Amino acid sequence: MLFHRRPSRLLVTSLVTFSAAALVGCGAPGASGGAPDRFVVIDAEELGRFNPLTGHGGNGESKIYESLYRVAEGQDDRIPDAVPVLAEGAPEPVDGDLGHWRVKTRKGVTFSDGTPFGPEDVVATYNAVVDPKFASPIAANFDFLRTAQVSGPDTVDFLLNGAYGDVPHRLFLAIAPSESLAAPGPADKLPLGDHPVGTGPYALTELRPDQVVLTARDGYWGTKPQVKTFVVRRTDDEKARAAQLAGSADGTRLSPALARAVAKDGYRTVVSKANDWLGVTLPSGNPVAGDAAVRLALNLGVDRGAMVRDILQGEGTPVSTLVTPLFGDAYDPAQDFTFDADRARKVLDDAGWRVGADGVRERDGRRAQFDVAYYPTETLRRDLTMATVSDAKKIGIEMKPVAVEKSTMTPQYLASTAFLLGGGGQPYTVDTQLYPKFHSRYAAKGVGSKWDNASDYVNPEVDKALEAARVERDPAKRAKLYRDFQAAYHAAPGMLALVAENHVYVLRDNGWQPGATALEPHSHGVAWGPWYSLARWTRK
Amino acid sequence: MVLPGALDAEVTRSRRARIGRLAVRRLLFGVPLVLVVSLAAFALAAASPFDPLEAYLGGSGDGYTEAEREVLRHTLGLDQSWISAWWHWISGAVTGDFGYSRAYHEPVAQVLAERLGWTALLGFAGSVVAVVLACALGITAGLRAGGFADKVISAIAVVLQAVPPFIVALGAVLLFAVTLRLFPTSGLTDPGEPITAASAARHLVLPALVLGVSQVPWLALGLREAITGAMGSDAVRGAYARGLPPRVVHSGHVLPMASAPFFALIGGRLPELLVGATVVETVFAWPGLGDATVDSARALDFPLLAIVTVLTVGLVVAGNLAADAAAIAVDPRIEADG
């Protein structure tokens, strides 16, 4: 097969240094290919695929489509507000029923093909995403939704599968015209992917295999963007992206180290907070990893601060309970684990895990040893796995790293093997972050996805807090319930959460004033970072 | 009494006929080869640890139950065996329907239409660069074997052979595009500009040079070997003994004798050009099939993977055929497939 050899670390380092020197050497960078109202970026993702049902614009980040609500930018110390876009005002429960919500849709909006936007388009898009015939890869994000209905000339009703309190933060799906979804079939075959039709500020004017051009369109209902043309190119190798940045591009996403190397002389970095977390599952089905004392000791014994400093180059935060400072009032810093190896050893001693001759603990003839599986293709996962293994060794627990492929990860395998897990797909409600991860519903065999509560953790107090918060509409009371969850979890943790990484972007300083960044989900690309607010950029 | 001209024509005719017979034989052999190779591609892909459903779901597959995953597999037609997937593909391909690419969310025919031409252009330009450079260096080194030029050329070729193409490509970008600003860094055009012949040519120079240069070591060293071999042959020694001047010996004896193995080498190295193109396309964001090959393999995109594999086989067969035909044309003693 066609795989080239990976260049060695030394070569890469020297290339980075060289490219940084080259960038410095070439003085002030030129303007963006000449045009002042154009911005050129390099993405790492495949170009095209402008289809809401395959995940495009799923958090309101699309430039072509709009959603009922989008994430507010500039709020990363709490859950960002849901800003109405195609909606008028917030969703309201009908007659106080949390299983039935009504949204008023905006009037006077037209799609880029000239057809008027109305509630039927919202209904068609939401019903398509949950319709198995469309086989939408993001259907699972809408498992709370039973169906959507047109309930008036400009209102839509959402009928849910049960009571749910924080619906406003779940309605970020990009809206397509109902005509484009008339014929059900696998989502990836819809013409929308190459011929998008949306209500957003930009329209697709060119789609080539090497380039996408978005142009600010006439007839947009809102304020016309000042950046008239947005050009997106693609290169999946980040070293090549860094080199191309010096040529004719104005921005891209890079890893922290590379970003710092190239962000000189006319370029600067923009860091977005993201809820892109990583941690290790500690399955109940494994006699060592699932042991309460081992779970607690590992949480005390890993140095999360060092992981952020050394592995993430400072661009991230330690995570203990999956509730982080990003969640504002719901976050209780007192419930985070502080690194304390001595206390970790004491916890193990008290529980009867005695250090053996080779430094590994034992209890009743069982060694404190278990495998930890990880995907070797992602360097960050690999590095975090190795750091965890080394910290665990210091408190007498032997974790053996095992490199695995995605196809190895069957539910049976996960039930007894610790795994370095990543998450944070939709960080705009605390519920989506916690409920599927820790509620004992998902500990039962065959319930939910294999990734839901992958440690099969059962804690009645945790269940109680999560259930009550899910149906609580008052944000203050809901936050209090999530603080209760953290206290219950802290006393008896069910996994080993480690860190969340920020996303780092580099852009050319060429007279534009980008808006603040929005809190980002696990996904990232040139729709995010400073470009989330592209339509609202101004000149300095 | 046969006139010399008539004899020449006779010889040319017989060579043409031999080349024609050779081409027909190879093509007849190519059809079962394509079937077998495409079958093998499906089998190997199915045995690989990649999962097409994971590729389809991308990063958003965390929320599905196993039952929902099975339903998705069924809806998307991912639950059929590799052999039936192959049958599905081959019966469609015969009618001109190459199927739908899951990796690109486009019909395979469209992916090919958008990308094949660019890879062909890059490959062609790269081979021209490679052959011209290899001829110049190989002949220089071979005719003066053991001399200073030979030592330098051989050393450079050996070193270059050891450097991964990725590094050569990135180094070229940093030096020629970023530092010296002689060429654009990437793409087919400057950002946002339409494709014109002039812009495509300007953007083609650097990737074609890199691709060509990465192929030079093998070819140059191979040609050098062929020439030193020919220099030591009885025919050449006899020609010198008859007192022919070196220039005549070189052009009349040595180079024709050395060209047959050189052509064979070029033919055999053609697939390497594809491997090189994959790397070069990645670094230069050149929208060819190289990227598509890797993407389709990772996503287990059977229809695209199969057609790319078949095209590669076709290239190998065509490359070897062209090499043998060229060898027959220059060297009367060769009887191909004999």
PDB file of all heavy atoms in Angstrom, chain B residues 25 35 67 109 173:
ATOM      1  N   ARG B  25      -0.781  -9.413 -26.874  1.00  0.00           N
ATOM      2  CA  ARG B  25      -0.566 -10.439 -25.832  1.00  0.00           C
ATOM      3  C   ARG B  25      -0.708  -9.845 -24.436  1.00  0.00           C
ATOM      4  O   ARG B  25      -1.367 -10.392 -23.559  1.00  0.00           O
ATOM      5  CB  ARG B  25       0.833 -11.048 -25.983  1.00  0.00           C
ATOM      6  CG  ARG B  25       0.892 -12.238 -26.927  1.00  0.00           C
ATOM      7  CD  ARG B  25       2.108 -13.102 -26.629  1.00  0.00           C
ATOM      8  NE  ARG B  25       3.358 -12.336 -26.703  1.00  0.00           N
ATOM      9  CZ  ARG B  25       4.069 -12.172 -27.816  1.00  0.00           C
ATOM     10  NH1 ARG B  25       3.654 -12.699 -28.942  1.00  0.00           N
ATOM     11  NH2 ARG B  25       5.192 -11.467 -27.808  1.00  0.00           N
ATOM     12  N   LEU B  35      -8.915  -8.441 -12.998  1.00  0.00           N
ATOM     13  CA  LEU B  35      -9.925  -9.130 -12.196  1.00  0.00           C
ATOM     14  C   LEU B  35      -9.311  -9.653 -10.897  1.00  0.00           C
ATOM     15  O   LEU B  35      -9.840  -9.428  -9.807  1.00  0.00           O
ATOM     16  CB  LEU B  35     -10.524 -10.305 -12.989  1.00  0.00           C
ATOM     17  CG  LEU B  35     -11.452  -9.928 -14.128  1.00  0.00           C
ATOM     18  CD1 LEU B  35     -11.991 -11.184 -14.808  1.00  0.00           C
ATOM     19  CD2 LEU B  35     -12.617  -9.094 -13.596  1.00  0.00           C
ATOM     20  N   ALA B  67     -27.214  -2.027  18.253  1.00  0.00           N
ATOM     21  CA  ALA B  67     -28.343  -2.317  17.370  1.00  0.00           C
ATOM     22  C   ALA B  67     -28.489  -1.229  16.308  1.00  0.00           C
ATOM     23  O   ALA B  67     -28.692  -1.515  15.120  1.00  0.00           O
ATOM     24  CB  ALA B  67     -29.625  -2.419  18.190  1.00  0.00           C
ATOM     25  N   ALA B 109     -17.174   8.189 -10.499  1.00  0.00           N
ATOM     26  CA  ALA B 109     -16.866   8.775 -11.798  1.00  0.00           C
ATOM     27  C   ALA B 109     -16.515  10.253 -11.651  1.00  0.00           C
ATOM     28  O   ALA B 109     -15.606  10.768 -12.302  1.00  0.00           O
ATOM     29  CB  ALA B 109     -18.060   8.603 -12.738  1.00  0.00           C
ATOM     30  N   VAL B 173       9.720  23.159  -0.540  1.00  0.00           N
ATOM     31  CA  VAL B 173       8.755  24.230  -0.283  1.00  0.00           C
ATOM     32  C   VAL B 173       9.416  25.337   0.529  1.00  0.00           C
ATOM     33  O   VAL B 173       9.317  26.525   0.203  1.00  0.00           O
ATOM     34  CB  VAL B 173       7.522  23.693   0.487  1.00  0.00           C
ATOM     35  CG1 VAL B 173       6.640  24.843   0.946  1.00  0.00           C
ATOM     36  CG2 VAL B 173       6.739  22.746  -0.383  1.00  0.00           C
TER      37      VAL B 173
END
